[in-house]
Amino acid sequence: MPPPLLLVHGFLSTRSAMRPLARHFRRSGRTVDRARLSPLCIQDVRRLAVQVGRSVEALQEATGADRVDVVGVSQGGLAALYYVRRLGGTERVRRMVALGTPFAGTWFAAIGVPLFGAVSAGVWQSLPDSDLVKELVGAGPSPEEDVVSIAREGDTVAPPERCRLEGARNIVLPGRLTPWTHQTMGISRTVARAAIDALDR
């Protein structure tokens, strides 16, 4: 029986948006829950990481599992990595898989600054030169963490080179350059299959 799985959504997303991905994972025989995060995930990523931790603990309590797997989509992967790397999450997380997560930051976030910058710490933290990105990358991998980063060609929000993470297993899936390639990371059957394979490996 595989470990239970927690799904973490990203910026401007919701728990409901994770339903298609949850269905894919349940078909693979997993117990799946979706993280309970602040509305639309526009808050400080560090705050979201604390909420990821609480969701992990709740899933452990509900299932009796010693450790769980975590899949983060887009900025949800940043929050999940912060939990794993900076808040002691390696004690509770067996393996983390990030889907389309710009660990090196993304200049696409600059588009969101005029729209959300006044109310969202998260949009600033997704920029390549943000303190959060420097903190996560600068911390480097711990010997205990097990992270897989899955990117897709044609993703203009989180191109593969921005998703590459030192110490992680970095996977690039084929894809087409479209305006919605990034938005389909959480619903694509191909991406879900790659994530399941990464968790099973």
Side-chain angles (χ1 to χ4, degrees), residues 94-149:
R94 181 192 71 108
R95 181 168 294 159
M96 175 198 144
V97 175
L99 306 179
T101 296
F103 291 114
T106 171
W107 290 114
F108 193 87
I111 297 174
V113 168
L115 299 173
F116 306 104
V119 296
S120 171
V123 71
W124 293 98
Q125 291 170 327
S126 294
L127 292 168
D129 58 354
S130 76
D131 289 342
L132 181 91
V133 166
K134 293 174 183 176
E135 180 182 355
L136 276 178
V137 174
S142 70
E144 298 84 13
E145 72 182 52
D146 187 347
V147 178
V148 181
S149 176

Side-chain angles (χ1 to χ4, degrees), residues 47-125:
R47 176 181 171 186
L48 297 174
V50 171
Q51 296 170 356
V52 169
R54 291 175 184 156
S55 296
V56 165
E57 292 172 22
L59 182 55
Q60 286 181 295
E61 185 175 345
T63 62
D66 292 331
R67 303 175 85 190
V68 305
D69 288 336
V70 175
V71 172
V73 180
S74 192
Q75 194 183 59
L78 285 177
L81 183 68
Y82 197 93
Y83 169 65
V84 167
R85 186 168 280 189
R86 306 297 286 168
L87 301 180
T90 51
E91 296 180 4
R92 298 178 181 271
V93 176
R94 181 192 71 108
R95 181 168 294 159
M96 175 198 144
V97 175
L99 306 179
T101 296
F103 291 114
T106 171
W107 290 114
F108 193 87
I111 297 174
V113 168
L115 299 173
F116 306 104
V119 296
S120 171
V123 71
W124 293 98
Q125 291 170 327

Side-chain angles (χ1 to χ4, degrees), residues 163-174:
C163 296
R164 186 167 185 81
L165 180 68
E166 180 188 354
R169 183 149 48 94
N170 295 285
I171 298 170
V172 179
L173 301 177

